[in-house]
């Protein structure tokens, strides 16, 4: 089917997944109001949300049969957007699955929780598909506001409230830069549409100074959302304070959405201005990889450790944007998918272990965990190995593809930093595994069984199976990713090899 | 898939579920492995609760009854499926291998390796041996391992071994074969150290693994070299182009084949890497029968036969294969003369017979080598299983009175034929087969190899004709040694007076039916298995009943499509091989008759000589002296290796450890590690938790970036 916007119905077709999710979110809110609070309602709403996400995913699959004409529309319906939706929807679905028991346990308002989660996913999908900076901003705000509330949703817990406030204050601050960047770009090129910006740069009509300052400020906005050093300061605090499933969701879906928009804008709109931005991203990437991995090694709380690990992964991913070629971009999509699966899985284990009062969050408290819960122990070990990038797991292949892209772009030093920091990251990932298997549990907690609810089990099995699958048979997924980025007006091989 | 024959039409043949043959043992491994884990968990729980755990306390738990059906069950199905495919291949007139590619395994730039299997006459023969003999040994194991607490783990390993062995012979490229090659090594290690709480057994496993590693290095180098030359690693591609790419006797092909030979000497226990096999006898006896006699150790022979085109192009390497083979055969046979441990005798005998197979494939008689591989699988598996039955029985008897004698020492046996008649008869059949007595299986296969060696010496342009004559004489002499030490084994074990002790002897018993039925099947194969490859010359002589006995040269014809190319290369470069012995002349049947008569004479003489000699039990026996002592101590090769290889490595390692590692490297690593952590700590000081600090740093970041683009 070919899109034809003279037919009003085709607008709905083009936005089917987003519309479905939005309506679903409203429905969940309404159902939540009409039913008494209680664990039963909570769990029903959770499963309903999963269903909604699956319906949206079906719609997304169906959209593969729809072709758009031209690249003038403000929201794209290309392979890249569809692949992005896979990543975001799987992140959202897994996040809901690992939230089910948590929301019940902590007595959170289920309807609001799931509705906000779905709204923020809609925002992310719009961001990833947007071809206009204003629309990206719109998606960014839809997502951000929902996530600010989600971070603070456990009102009875001061840590959660603090996290929400911090995230909001700093988020608002950085949004200012982002918006200012859009304004400057409009001033430089006379448009906010990325193709128009690209044309303007290519034809040499863009105003030089305004353009580079605009790009720089946009970089700051994205760097904040993907938590690149030095714009990462909020991350550990917010990740630690927010309810753990929200942290999980933020660490994967929000980051993924930001990266997807990041890639589209820089690869399409700023293709012609590569000279002026690659060095900024090069340094941000190096700084992020090095600093995050360093700090992660001294963390004692597992949530903070995973927060810094998330920052480190943002550093690796930025390598792909610097490389700016097809291999690296496909690698970025593959990486985001893998990262979504493995990070959600790791947070799921953290939720399971932390228990009712959220008090078991120290890495030391994992001592002997592997032997008392062998199955969970093995699952967690696989997830940690994948995060570290161990051969045989999806995390390894993802890094391999990134490196391949970086080497094609001749980014030798960046590749070396990536490899070295990856090696350093083994220390803090494997330290958890070491506690799990090599240390005896303290006598008072030994043998205390952990019940794994069905939804959690589903999420864990899905993520581990897919991670191993992606690690051993990455071919098909990579092919899909490759065909998804080839539609972008993706940039030729990166221009320059070494840092300034 | 390729099916086009040269010039003639080929009946299309569709293999029936060939992948399932490989997957069935893997399935068995998964099920038995799960059972083993659950059993281990149970016993670990019990031990943690404080106390011993006895699996058989309350009858047989499910974890220990299910493997009885699963282990041999998957083997039966795999064997039947192999038979179906064999029948299909028999019906089809197949000239090219059937290659089935399932998915792309490695795909990086120029290197493409598919997960593919290759079905041809050679892999089919190997599959029949592996699944067939494997099935019998699985059945035997049910009786032998019944009361072991590790029963499910045992079958899990055994199934896994079969899986890897099938991958080894069915793989369509060197890397796939290498997976199997490494996998069987792993299983061998796991099974040798099956009773790992005994330190000697655990270190025997390690020794096998490490020695094999040296050979594996050769395998890898060969693969790399082949890739370098061909840019591909699959059999069909390499063998198809080999003749045009390599110059006959050129240096690259010689290196490739020498590396392959290095791999083969490791896996197949040939000089100089044979030392692990005698120690490998620490594993359960059925394992010795399956892995260390019938299948895994023959992988080296298979490797050479599979690469026959390459070896045919490298006369020097081929001569070395044959040389190593015949020397190993002779050398191991001399050691076997003086061993007292029943399994050690069989181990050295295996090394010796593997030497014959190497001689066969080394002189270009690939069919003869594979033929001996097959008959050897029958009679050596039978000998090992028989020895297992004997040890089983001895063990029970000694256990009854808590006598701490060695249940494997033949000096403690004697006269067992009265207690174990079936075992006695079947083992005699295997003994005359291995000794080369007409018309048993070993006679034909060994005679084939010796004859081809002689024929090679007489080839028109043989490069090392004198050498091959020496090989021929040594091979004949070794056959006599074989007849002697095998008869000695039988006499010491089964004949004469019983030396176990009167109270113990009451408990000696025949093996249960599930153990001697496999023996009987193998016995039949040991008797008649040789009749499928009898040359016309022999068949029409007295040794073939002047053509009246149902014998034929079937195997030769069957393997023709696989070996044809190599034979053509040989014929082009070496000319016609001779039809008479290198010295004294005489045709094949004459020398067959001579060796038959000589071997029979040795067997009879040994029976008479040793039958009347009194044997002292192990505890009272004096240390041997003179040459006997030299042989008893296995030419002191282990000591030599220890003194000149292991010790220097250990000394170097110790220096490296103390100085280089602990001081220099560890010191640096600790410095880096501590430095990293210190730096991490410093940077994390900025993480104050105050929003205004964060906003400040953010602003600084913005300013830095803006100044970057501004200047």
């Amino acid at each position: 089917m070919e899109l034809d916007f003279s037919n009003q119905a085709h607008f709905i077709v083009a936005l089917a997944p987003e519309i479905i999710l939005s309506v679903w979110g409203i429905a969940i809110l309404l159902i939540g109001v009409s039913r008494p609070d209680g664990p039963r309602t909570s769990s029903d709403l959770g499963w309903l949300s999963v269903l909604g996400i699956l319906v949206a995913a079906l719609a997304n699959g169906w959209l593969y049969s729809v072709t758009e004409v031209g690249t003038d529309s403000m929201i794209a319906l290309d392979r890249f957007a569809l692949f992005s939706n896979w990543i975001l929807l799987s992140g959202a679905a897994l996040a809901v699955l690992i939230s089910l028991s948590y929301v019940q346990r902590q007595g959170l308002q289920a309807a609001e929780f799931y509705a906000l989660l779905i709204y923020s996913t809609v925002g992310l999908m719009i961001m990833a598909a947007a071809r206009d900076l204003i629309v990206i901003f719109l998606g960014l705000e839809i997502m951000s506001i929902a996530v600010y509330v989600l971070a603070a949703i456990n009102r009875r817990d001061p840590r959660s409230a603090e996290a929400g406030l911090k995230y909001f204050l700093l988020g608002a601050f950085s949004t200012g830069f982002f918006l200012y960047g859009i304004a400057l770009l409009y001033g430089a090129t006379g448009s906010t549409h990325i193709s128009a910006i690209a044309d303007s740069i290519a034809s040499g009509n863009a105003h030089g100074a305004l353009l580079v300052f605009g790009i720089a400020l946009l970089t700051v906005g994205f760097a904040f959302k993907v938590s690149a050093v030095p714009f990462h300061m909020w991350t550990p605090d917010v990740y630690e304070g927010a309810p753990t499933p929200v942290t999980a969701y933020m660490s994967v879906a929000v980051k993924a959405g930001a990266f997807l928009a990041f890639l589209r804008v820089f690869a399409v709109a700023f293709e012609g201005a590569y000279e002026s931005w690659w060095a900024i991203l090069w340094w941000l990437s190096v700084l992020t990889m090095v600093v995050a991995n360093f700090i992660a090694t001294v963390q004692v709380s597992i949530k903070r450790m995973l927060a810094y690990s998330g920052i480190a992964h943002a550093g690796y991913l930025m390598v792909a944007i610097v490389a700016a070629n097809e291999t690296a971009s496909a690698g970025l999509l593959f990486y985001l998918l893998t990262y979504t699966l493995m990070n959600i899985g790791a947070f799921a284990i953290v939720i399971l272990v932390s228990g009712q009062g959220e008090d078991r969050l120290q890495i030391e408290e994992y001592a002997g965990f592997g032997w008392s819960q062998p199955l969970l122990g093995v699952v967690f070990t696989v997830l940690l190995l994948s995060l570290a990038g161990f051969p045989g797991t999806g995390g390894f292949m993802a890094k391999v593809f990134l490196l391949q892209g970086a080497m094609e772009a001749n980014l030798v030093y960046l590749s070396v930093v990536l490899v070295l920091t990856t090696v350093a990251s083994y220390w803090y990932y494997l330290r958890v595994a070491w506690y799990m298997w090599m240390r005896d549990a303290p006598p008072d907690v030994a043998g205390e069984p952990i019940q794994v609810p069905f939804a959690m089990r589903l999420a864990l099995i899905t993520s581990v199976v897919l991670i191993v699958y992606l690690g051993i048979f990455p071919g098909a997924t990579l092919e899909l990713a490759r065909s998804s980025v080839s539609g972008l007006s993706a940039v030729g091989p990166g221009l320059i090899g070494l840092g300034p | 898939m390729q099916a086009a024959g040269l010039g003639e039409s080929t009946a299309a043949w569709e293999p029936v579920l060939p992948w399932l043959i490989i997957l069935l043992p893997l399935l068995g491994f998964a099920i038995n492995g799960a059972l083993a884990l659950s059993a281990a968990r149970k016993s670990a729980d019990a031990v943690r609760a404080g106390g011993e755990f006895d699996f058989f306390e309350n009858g047989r738990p499910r974890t220990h009854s299910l493997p009885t059906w699963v282990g041999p069950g998957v083997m039966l199905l795999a064997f039947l499926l192999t038979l179906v495919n064999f029948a299909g291949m028999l019906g089809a007139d197949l000239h090219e291998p059937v290659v089935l590619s399932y998915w792309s395994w490695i795909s990086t730039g120029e290197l493409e390796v598919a997960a593919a299997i290759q079905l041809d006459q050679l892999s089919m023969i190997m599959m029949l041996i592996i699944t067939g003999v494997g099935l019998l040994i699985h059945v035997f194991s049910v009786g032998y391992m019944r009361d072991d607490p590790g029963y499910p783990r045992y079958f899990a390993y055994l199934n896994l071994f079969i899986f890897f062995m099938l991958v080894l012979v069915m793989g369509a490229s060197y890397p796939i074969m290498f997976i199997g090659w490494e996998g069987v090594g792993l299983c061998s290690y796991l099974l040798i150290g099956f009773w790992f709480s005994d330190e000697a057994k655990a270190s025997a496993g390690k020794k096998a693994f490490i020695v094999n590693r040296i050979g594996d290095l050769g395998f890898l180098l060969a693969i790399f070299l082949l890739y370098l030359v061909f840019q591909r690693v699959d059999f069909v591609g390499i063998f198809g182009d080999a003749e045009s790419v390599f110059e006959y006797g050129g240096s690259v092909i010689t290196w490739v084949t020498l590396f392959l030979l290095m791999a083969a000497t490791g896996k197949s226990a040939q000089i100089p890497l044979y030392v692990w096999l005698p120690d490998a006898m620490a594993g359960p006896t059925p394992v010795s029968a399956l892995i260390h006699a019938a299948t895994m150790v023959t992988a080296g022979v298979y490797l050479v036969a599979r690469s026959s085109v390459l070896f045919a192009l490298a006369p020097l390497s081929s001569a070395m294969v044959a040389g190593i083979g015949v020397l190993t055969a002779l050398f191991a046979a001399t050691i076997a003369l003086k061993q007292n441990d029943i399994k050690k005798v069989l181990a050295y005998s295996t090394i010796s017979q593997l030497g014959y197979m190497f001689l066969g494939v080394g002189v270009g008689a690939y069919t003869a080598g594979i033929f001996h591989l097959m008959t050897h699988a029958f009679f050596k598996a039978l000998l090992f299983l028989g020895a297992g039955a004997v040890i089983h029985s001895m063990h029970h008897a000694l256990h009854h009175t808590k006598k701490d004698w060695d249940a494997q020492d033949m000096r403690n046996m004697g006269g067992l034929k009265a207690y174990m008649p079936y075992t006695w008869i079947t083992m005699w059949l295997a003994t005359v087969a291995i000794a080369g007595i007409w018309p048993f299986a070993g006679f034909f296969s060994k005679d084939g190899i010796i004859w081809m060696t002689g024929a090679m010496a007489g080839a028109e342009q043989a490069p090392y004709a004198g050498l091959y004559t020496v090989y021929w004489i040594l091979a004949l002499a070794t056959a006599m040694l074989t007849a002697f030490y095998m008869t000695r084994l039988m006499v010491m074990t089964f004949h004469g007076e019983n030396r176990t002790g009167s109270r113990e002897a009451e408990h000696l018993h025949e093996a249960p039916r599930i153990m001697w039925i496999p023996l009987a099947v193998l016995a039949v194969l040991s008797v008649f298995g040789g009749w499928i490859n009898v040359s016309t010359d022999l068949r029409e002589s007295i040794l073939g009943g002047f053509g009246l006995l149902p014998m034929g040269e079937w195997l030769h014809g069957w393997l023709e499509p696989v070996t044809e190319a190599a034979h053509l290369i040989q014929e082009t470069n070496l000319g016609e091989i001779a039809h008479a012995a290198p010295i004294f002349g005489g045709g094949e049947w004459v020398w067959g008759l001579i060796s038959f008569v000589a071997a029979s004479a040795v067997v009879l003489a040994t029976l008479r000589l040793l039958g009347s000699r009194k044997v002292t039990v192990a505890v009272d026996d004096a240390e041997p002296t003179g040459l006997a002592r030299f042989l008893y101590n296995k030419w002191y090769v282990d000591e030599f290796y220890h003194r000149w290889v292991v010790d220097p490595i250990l000394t170097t390692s110790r220096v490296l450890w103390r100085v280089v590692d602990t001081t220099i490297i560890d010191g640096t690593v600790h410095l880096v590690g501590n430095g990293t952590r210190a730096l991490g700590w410093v940077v994390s000081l900025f993480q104050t938790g105050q929003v205004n600090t964060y906003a400040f740093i953010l602003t600084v970041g913005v300013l830095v970036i803006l100044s970057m683009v501004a200047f």
Side-chain angles (χ1 to χ4, degrees):
Chain A
M1 173 176 153
E2 207 165 83
L3 281 188
D4 169 20
F5 287 124
S6 62
N7 181 346
Q8 294 283 320
H10 282 199
F11 284 105
I12 296 175
V13 167
L15 289 172
E18 286 89 345
I19 292 174
I20 289 171
L21 274 187
S22 305
V23 173
W24 213 280
I26 295 169
I28 283 174
L29 268 183
L30 291 178
I31 295 171
V33 172
S34 65
R35 283 186 53 173
D37 276 351
R40 182 67 203 278
T41 309
S42 173
S43 131
D44 286 352
L45 289 175
W47 285 111
L48 196 62
S49 314
V50 175
L51 186 67
I53 295 168
L54 287 182
V55 173
L58 276 180
N60 194 50
W62 174 70
L63 282 181
Y64 272 91
S65 63
V66 174
T67 46
E68 61 170 353
V69 183
T71 56
D72 293 336
S73 58
M74 294 174 104
I75 294 184
L77 188 71
D78 53 7
R79 290 299 190 93
F80 183 79
L82 296 181
F83 196 98
S84 305
N85 288 350
W86 291 130
I87 300 173
L88 298 169
L89 289 171
S90 54
L94 289 172
V96 173
L97 284 179
I98 68 170
S99 306
L100 273 168
S101 57
Y102 184 92
V103 172
Q104 265 180 33
R105 194 171 77 187
Q106 310 287 11
L108 305 179
Q109 296 95 324
E112 285 86 339
F113 185 94
Y114 295 120
L116 285 169
L117 202 144
I118 285 177
Y119 292 151
S120 69
T121 307
V122 173
L124 288 166
M125 287 161 70
I126 290 175
M127 266 177 91
R131 279 215 189 92
D132 193 292
L133 294 177
I134 297 295
V135 179
I136 292 183
F137 183 71
L138 199 67
L140 184 75
E141 285 305 297
I142 295 176
M143 176 275 288
S144 296
I145 293 169
V147 175
Y148 296 149
V149 181
L150 275 177
I153 201 161
N154 195 358
R155 286 170 306 175
R156 286 177 291 273
D157 185 349
R159 286 178 299 181
S160 174
E162 183 190 328
L165 187 62
K166 265 186 189 163
Y167 190 30
F168 170 66
L169 285 176
L170 292 166
F173 194 43
S174 75
T175 305
F177 290 111
F178 191 82
L179 206 52
Y180 195 17
I182 295 177
L184 289 178
L185 283 169
Y186 183 74
T189 62
S191 172
T192 54
H193 194 280
I194 57 172
S195 309
I197 296 176
D199 289 342
S200 164
I201 295 174
S203 60
N205 295 333
H207 187 286
L210 287 183
L211 180 70
V212 291
F213 278 105
I215 292 176
L217 291 179
L218 223 52
T219 309
V220 172
F222 280 123
F224 179 85
K225 285 295 171 200
V226 303
S227 60
V229 177
F231 309 105
H232 70 288
M233 305 293 288
W234 59 276
T235 316
D237 291 13
V238 175
Y239 278 18
E240 194 183 18
T244 313
V246 176
T247 309
Y249 177 72
M250 285 168 72
S251 73
V252 297
V254 174
K255 180 166 298 186
F259 259 114
L260 292 164
F262 203 169
L263 177 69
R264 191 193 282 272
V265 170
F266 277 68
V268 179
F270 304 151
E271 186 184 0
Y274 186 78
E275 287 289 353
S276 59
W277 57 262
W278 74 268
I280 305 176
L281 291 186
W282 194 96
W283 279 107
L284 282 180
S285 171
V286 169
L287 207 60
T288 308
M289 287 191 273
V290 173
V291 171
N293 279 309
F294 269 35
I295 304 183
T297 54
V298 290
Q299 299 306 316
V300 289
S301 150
I302 189 131
K303 268 173 96 175
R304 282 189 91 86
M305 186 278 270
L306 285 174
Y308 283 107
S309 127
I311 301 174
H313 283 282
Y316 309 142
L317 285 161
M318 275 168 52
V319 172
I321 298 185
V322 181
N325 54 31
E326 194 179 298
T327 312
S329 305
L332 181 126
L333 291 187
F334 187 91
Y335 202 116
L336 283 175
L337 185 64
T338 320
Y339 176 72
T340 300
L341 296 169
M342 63 197 183
N343 222 33
I344 289 246
F347 273 109
I349 304 273
V350 173
I351 294 173
L352 282 174
V353 174
S354 67
Q356 174 73 46
E358 291 251 322
D359 45 5
R360 289 184 65 197
L361 288 170
Q362 303 302 303
I363 292 173
E364 278 176 15
E365 282 163 330
Y366 283 75
F369 177 67
W371 295 107
S372 62
Q373 304 279 331
L375 210 57
L376 282 180
V378 169
V379 165
F380 198 23
T381 309
V382 172
L383 293 166
L384 287 168
L385 287 175
S386 181
L387 280 166
F390 195 78
T393 62
F396 173 74
M397 292 319 298
K399 285 217 173 82
V400 167
F401 297 143
L402 277 194
L403 279 172
Q404 231 173 352
M407 288 313 292
E408 264 179 38
N410 228 356
L411 294 166
V412 179
Y413 290 147
L414 210 50
S415 308
V416 170
V417 174
L418 200 165
V419 171
L420 287 182
T421 49
T422 298
V423 171
S425 75
Y426 272 63
W427 155 264
Y428 56 85
Y429 290 123
L430 293 187
R431 197 161 68 107
V432 181
W434 181 73
Y435 267 107
M436 284 200 299
W437 299 104
M438 309 281 188
R439 294 287 291 264
D440 285 332
D444 49 321
V445 287
E448 187 183 304
I450 293 177
Q451 294 301 325
V452 188
F454 172 70
M456 198 68 115
R457 217 170 276 199
L458 193 63
L460 280 174
I461 291 172
T462 312
S463 55
V464 164
V465 167
L466 287 179
I467 278 171
V468 174
Y469 166 77
L470 289 174
I472 300 173
F473 307 106
T477 314
L478 184 73
E479 267 319 302
L480 187 63
R482 204 177 260 280
S483 71
S484 303
V485 293
S486 65
L488 282 179
S489 92
V491 282
L495 305 174
I496 296 142
L498 311 175
Chain B
M1 200 191 329
Q2 306 176 351
L6 286 173
E8 49 194 311
S9 70
T10 307
W13 172 57
E14 280 292 328
V16 185
L17 305 174
W19 49 272
L20 192 58
I21 302 176
I22 301 187
L23 282 193
L24 276 167
L26 190 65
L27 179 73
F29 163 69
I31 297 174
N32 287 326
L35 292 173
L37 280 180
S38 117
R41 189 168 174 172
K42 232 185 283 172
S43 84
D45 285 347
V47 170
R48 203 178 303 150
E52 292 277 306
F53 188 69
D54 182 3
F55 279 109
F56 306 108
E57 201 174 32
N58 308 314
R60 217 172 163 71
R62 188 163 304 146
T63 49
H64 287 58
S65 58
L66 279 179
T68 307
W69 302 107
V70 177
V74 292
M75 289 306 297
L76 180 65
L77 292 178
F79 178 58
L80 291 177
L81 202 51
T82 310
L83 278 182
V84 169
N85 278 296
F86 174 61
M89 195 185 266
L90 268 179
D93 185 19
L94 200 67
H95 286 267
E96 299 278 332
V98 174
V99 177
L100 299 167
S101 192
Y102 292 101
W103 70 84
S104 169
W105 175 41
I106 302 176
S107 164
T108 56
E110 280 154 25
L111 178 62
E112 281 285 341
V113 183
I117 58 177
Q118 171 164 347
L119 291 171
D120 61 7
Q121 290 80 357
L122 178 57
S123 56
M124 189 51 81
I125 285 286
M126 294 300 290
M127 284 156 65
L128 282 171
I129 296 172
I130 293 162
T131 53
V133 177
L135 168 65
L136 291 174
I137 291 172
H138 273 71
V139 171
F140 181 90
S141 299
V142 169
Y144 192 83
M145 298 297 289
R146 261 186 88 75
D147 301 328
D148 196 290
Y151 189 67
R153 184 165 55 95
Y154 173 82
F155 272 111
Y157 290 166
L158 219 52
N159 282 158
L160 185 66
F161 166 78
I162 297 285
F163 163 72
F164 278 123
M165 194 65 208
L166 287 172
V167 170
L168 197 163
V169 298
M170 290 170 78
S173 63
Y174 281 106
I176 302 272
M177 187 181 181
F178 188 68
I179 296 179
W181 188 270
E182 289 297 301
V184 293
L186 168 73
C187 293
S188 157
Y189 160 78
L190 289 171
L191 282 163
I192 295 170
F194 182 74
W195 290 304
F196 52 81
S197 51
D198 179 339
E199 201 181 328
K201 291 177 171 159
S203 49
K206 275 196 288 186
K207 183 173 177 181
F209 202 73
I210 294 166
V211 173
N212 266 297
R213 205 68 317 97
I214 303 171
D216 296 345
L217 175 69
F219 202 138
L220 281 176
L221 290 174
I223 296 180
F224 296 156
L225 258 182
L226 284 171
Y227 172 66
L228 211 62
V229 175
F230 290 95
Q231 306 291 313
R232 58 194 295 181
V233 282
D234 62 310
F235 295 142
V236 173
I238 290 181
F239 301 153
D241 295 346
E243 264 184 280
S244 52
V245 170
F246 290 120
E247 170 197 357
Y248 181 79
S251 73
V252 178
I253 183 66
T254 305
W255 278 111
V256 168
T257 44
L258 283 180
F259 284 138
L260 288 176
L261 171 60
M262 180 173 160
T265 55
K267 193 67 67 196
S268 291
Q270 297 294 292
I271 291 173
L273 297 179
Y274 71 91
V275 286
W276 63 271
L277 187 57
D279 288 27
M281 296 299 128
T285 307
V287 168
S288 310
L290 177 61
I291 301 185
H292 306 119
T295 53
M296 183 188 84
V297 289
T298 61
V301 183
Y302 169 77
L303 175 63
V304 178
R306 174 55 83 202
S307 317
S308 55
V309 174
L310 303 182
F311 277 90
L313 284 167
L316 176 68
S317 304
S318 284
M320 278 194 69
V321 173
I324 284 178
V326 76
L327 282 182
T328 310
L330 177 67
F331 172 79
T334 60
I335 296 176
L337 297 179
K338 277 292 158 197
Q339 298 304 310
N340 291 320
D341 184 314
I342 185 167
K343 283 183 75 180
K344 282 277 158 71
V345 177
L346 291 178
Y348 282 104
S349 153
T350 303
I351 298 175
S352 176
Q353 297 303 311
L354 287 166
Y356 270 114
M357 297 173 211
F358 267 62
L359 178 62
V361 291
V363 298
Y366 301 104
T367 306
I370 294 294
F371 181 37
H372 196 51
L373 184 162
M374 184 190 84
T375 59
H376 177 255
F378 299 152
F379 56 68
K380 190 50 69 64
L382 171 51
L383 285 169
F384 265 114
L385 293 185
V390 167
I391 294 166
H392 193 67
S393 176
M394 283 291 290
H395 194 78
H396 275 227
L398 293 172
H399 189 70
H400 252 281
T401 56
K402 306 259 183 301
K403 200 171 187 175
D404 65 343
W405 278 13
D406 187 353
Q408 304 191 12
D409 197 314
M410 296 188 298
R411 287 171 297 186
N412 299 336
M413 299 175 184
L416 290 185
K417 68 177 176 184
Y419 305 95
M420 321 182 63
Y422 296 127
T423 312
W424 173 62
I425 293 172
T426 48
M427 276 186 81
W428 255 120
L429 291 174
T431 301
V432 290
I434 193 177
I437 306 287
W438 184 87
F440 297 92
F443 169 78
F444 294 103
S445 58
K446 200 188 290 184
D447 181 74
I449 291 174
I450 298 175
W451 175 250
M452 290 302 288
T453 311
M456 188 71 178
E460 282 167 13
Q461 298 143 18
Y464 314 103
L467 203 60
Y468 284 111
T469 312
V470 175
Y471 290 173
W472 178 70
I473 296 170
L474 290 180
L476 276 174
T478 305
M480 301 306 118
L481 294 181
T482 311
F484 171 77
Y485 68 69
M486 285 311 301
T487 312
R488 171 174 172 271
L489 178 145
M490 291 305 290
V491 171
M492 283 182 79
T493 308
F494 289 102
H495 294 246
E497 286 197 357
N498 180 263
R499 300 178 291 272
T500 316
S502 50
R503 284 205 302 135
E504 286 74 18
E506 293 168 18
H507 299 290
L508 288 170
H509 57 82
E510 179 59 276
R513 195 183 303 163
I514 195 146
M515 284 165 71
W516 65 255
I517 285 180
L519 294 186
V521 176
L522 286 168
V524 172
L525 292 169
S526 302
V527 175
F528 299 107
W531 293 16
I532 62 164
N533 197 39
V534 180
S535 68
T536 324
D537 192 19
L538 276 189
R539 189 158 51 88
E540 285 168 1
S541 73
I542 181 166
L543 294 173
F546 302 106
L548 291 177
L549 289 175
M551 300 173 171
E553 211 170 0
W554 174 80
L555 188 68
H556 190 82
W558 172 252
L559 288 176
E560 187 70 34
V562 181
T563 56
E564 192 170 34
H567 284 152
L568 278 176
I569 297 171
Q570 254 176 347
E571 226 171 85
T572 328
N573 293 287
L574 303 180
E576 273 290 298
I577 54 168
H579 291 283
I583 38 179
F584 308 124
E588 181 173 3
W589 73 270
V590 180
W591 283 95
L593 197 60
I594 292 174
S595 74
F596 161 50
V597 172
S600 313
V602 171
V603 170
L604 292 174
T606 315
L607 262 178
R608 283 199 67 104
L609 269 174
L610 292 185
S612 55
R613 177 124 48 107
K614 190 132 181 65
V615 181
T616 327
V617 293
V619 281
D620 301 331
D621 202 13
E623 280 284 306
T625 52
L627 180 64
R629 176 171 165 173
F630 185 66
L631 293 178
Y632 178 74
N633 285 310
K634 306 161 249 177
W635 292 48
Y636 293 99
V637 170
D638 272 326
E639 286 74 6
F640 174 83
Y641 278 172
H642 240 277
R643 175 79 179 75
W644 295 104
V645 182
V646 180
D647 280 347
I649 289 179
L650 280 180
T651 315
T652 321
S653 306
R654 216 163 280 141
V655 172
L656 287 174
W657 166 43
R658 290 262 161 76
V659 180
V660 180
D661 194 59
T662 337
T663 319
I664 302 175
I665 296 180
D666 273 8
T668 321
V669 169
H670 285 149
L671 199 68
V672 172
N674 291 334
T676 308
R677 287 165 54 83
L679 201 62
W681 180 76
V682 170
V683 183
S684 67
L685 286 184
F686 288 99
Q687 202 74 42
T688 56
Q690 302 296 320
V691 176
N692 42 11
T693 320
Y694 296 175
F696 174 72
I697 293 175
L698 202 156
T699 315
V700 171
V702 173
L703 290 177
V704 170
I705 287 182
L706 288 181
S707 57
M708 266 177 86
V709 297
F711 305 110

